[in-house]
Amino acid sequence: EAGVVQSPRYKIIEKKQPVAFWCNPISGHNTLYWYLQNLGQGPELLIRYENEEAVDDSQLPKDRFSAERLKGVDSTLKIQPAELGDSAVYLCASSLDQTSGELFFGEGSRLTVL
Amino acid sequence: AQSVTQPDIHITVSEGASLELRCNYSYGATPYLFWYVQSPGQGLQLLLKYFSGDTLVQGIKGFEAEFKRSQSSFNLRKPSVHWSDAAEYFCAVDTDKLIFGTGTRLQVFP
């Protein structure tokens, strides 16, 4: 069974440019998460989807970040415009549902903003 | 507010030695607790979880963890470390969302 797939693995952009990350969760997993991981830190939740509905986006900086999960399967996280402080790893995870307790993570997308 | 503390940023052990990684949490009720491992360039993988019942839980790769309510702790242990265990270890607590600690980096010397 395929795991959580993320792309691109690495992205280098200049500040003020837009960037997008894509995530395909494990088949059948209804819950999808985007996490931000800064260097030397644990992951921090940005947004959680139950199917196509964003049920927790309280930590998503909505002035520049947006996300969507059309059709309740794969998801895209966008940053526009990117700032230097956005350099981090963006992790996508999925689970069967919110109560299962086990998240399956992708390998992450490492963003460097110059 | 709920939080997780991992007091040790970096731990170094010799291969074959025992290991204990510390984790303390702050939460009013009995939380759901997790340990995840992250190898370099990889996503996080669940090692084990505690929901209720037996306070000593077994996980993958020979790891175990013990929930101690009186100490608000959920320490991870392994009796004999292998070189392949070198990685970053994250403790997490699930209330209505998963909150991770800052991680402990494990280095293993041959």
Side-chain angles (χ1 to χ4, degrees):
Chain A
E1 179 181 315
V4 176
V5 179
Q6 291 188 245
S7 68
R9 287 293 312 277
Y10 304 92
K11 188 74 175 179
I12 301 174
I13 61 172
E14 294 187 345
K15 62 182 180 181
K16 300 185 181 180
Q17 294 299 305
V19 63
F21 305 111
W22 175 81
C23 172
N24 187 257
I26 292 173
S27 177
H29 281 194
N30 296 322
T31 308
L32 184 146
Y33 311 76
W34 282 102
Y35 280 86
L36 165 69
Q37 187 176 23
N38 287 303
L39 187 64
Q41 300 295 315
E44 299 172 30
L45 181 67
L46 288 172
I47 189 169
R48 173 169 62 90
Y49 282 93
E50 295 290 343
N51 298 303
E52 60 273 2
E53 181 182 0
V55 296
D56 184 354
D57 63 355
S58 57
Q59 300 303 309
L60 189 73
K62 298 180 183 63
D63 57 335
R64 299 184 299 107
F65 286 66
S66 65
E68 60 183 12
R69 192 185 184 195
L70 301 177
K71 301 181 181 179
V73 181
D74 54 351
S75 176
T76 302
L77 177 70
K78 298 178 181 178
I79 308 174
Q80 182 171 11
E83 297 179 351
L84 295 177
D86 296 331
S87 296
V89 176
Y90 293 84
L91 295 168
C92 180
S94 70
S95 64
L96 281 171
D97 54 53
Q98 185 197 357
T99 62
S100 71
E102 179 173 4
L103 274 62
F104 294 82
F105 284 83
E107 293 180 325
S109 295
R110 180 177 296 275
L111 173 65
T112 301
V113 182
L114 303 176
Chain B
Q2 301 85 5
S3 66
V4 177
T5 302
Q6 293 182 247
D8 304 306
I9 297 173
H10 185 202
I11 284 183
T12 301
V13 299
S14 298
E15 190 169 19
S18 63
L19 172 70
E20 182 169 26
L21 302 182
R22 296 183 291 166
C23 172
N24 294 96
Y25 67 90
S26 173
Y27 182 57
T30 300
Y32 294 166
L33 295 161
F34 304 81
W35 275 98
Y36 281 82
V37 60
Q38 185 177 33
S39 297
Q42 301 296 313
L44 282 76
Q45 180 185 20
L46 181 68
L47 284 175
L48 47 78
K49 59 187 177 184
Y50 172 78
F51 282 5
S52 64
D54 192 348
T55 57
L56 185 63
V57 294
Q58 302 298 318
I60 63 171
K61 305 183 180 185
F63 285 92
E64 66 178 25
E66 186 172 13
F67 170 61
K68 293 185 177 180
R69 184 191 306 275
S70 61
Q71 299 177 18
S72 297
S73 69
F74 189 56
N75 294 350
L76 182 71
R77 302 193 294 247
K78 186 170 185 177
S80 178
V81 172
H82 188 263
W83 64 266
S84 61
D85 293 325
E88 188 93 20
Y89 291 81
F90 292 95
C91 182
V93 59
D94 191 344
T95 55
D96 61 346
K97 61 183 175 184
L98 205 57
I99 299 173
F100 288 88
T102 53
T104 297
R105 180 170 297 279
L106 175 65
Q107 191 171 9
V108 181
F109 280 115

